[in-house]
Amino acid sequence: NWHRTYFFDLAEQADHEINGPRQIDWLERLHADRDNLRATLEWMIETGQTGAALKMARNLSWFWFKRSELNESRSWLGRVVALPDAPMYPECYADALSHLANHTWYQTRSKETRPMVETALAVARAHEDRHNTAQALMFLGLFLADEHNFSKARTTLEESRALFHELGDEWEES
């Protein structure tokens, strides 16, 4: 339990710090502890700690993204969102689905990304989760632009930006 708590907390702290001025330090720190982070995620999955596994995988998603470790990201995020009780944690589920869709899109540009982000958007809206609604809209807007549906992409991205602005999330809004 100490191991789980320590590395879960480390991933959570890293998610807050990884876009800040000490980004390289945090990327190196997580890289050095990657086997422990993997072991923690594996243990959470094996012991049915779905909510914690969803949150931890999501907290590590920008680490994997910034290190271009999209295979690993997609593997972990895919495993946790596929857990049978994952939808019982709607905020974490929508967040993890959005990131899985984004990482899949960056790596493959495949059509499988749309259903993932649309599910994330539906879950977030159903639970009045404005942050995850804005995030899913942002990713959906990018996918729509990639599909050359520029009018719908613009509307979707404007809605996302307005929500992020209302939430005071300057990083996502830009």
Side-chain angles (χ1 to χ4, degrees), residues 60 63 93 104 107 139:
L60 292 171
F63 162 67
Y93 181 61
T104 301
Q107 191 173 35
F139 292 143

Side-chain angles (χ1 to χ4, degrees), residues 84-110:
D85 57 341
M88 293 176 55
Y89 305 89
E91 183 178 335
C92 293
Y93 181 61
D95 198 10
L97 265 175
S98 286
H99 280 264
L100 176 59
N102 184 47
H103 295 191
T104 301
W105 178 76
Y106 266 97
Q107 191 173 35
T108 68
R109 294 290 203 270
S110 73

Side-chain angles (χ1 to χ4, degrees), residues 41 45 50-51 53-55 57-58 73-101 104 116 119-120:
L41 268 169
I45 291 168
T50 302
L54 281 163
K55 189 168 185 177
R58 170 34 202 105
S73 174
R74 290 177 58 210
S75 174
W76 286 112
L77 287 166
R79 285 181 68 191
V80 298
V81 300
L83 292 169
D85 57 341
M88 293 176 55
Y89 305 89
E91 183 178 335
C92 293
Y93 181 61
D95 198 10
L97 265 175
S98 286
H99 280 264
L100 176 59
T104 301
M116 284 186 265
T119 300

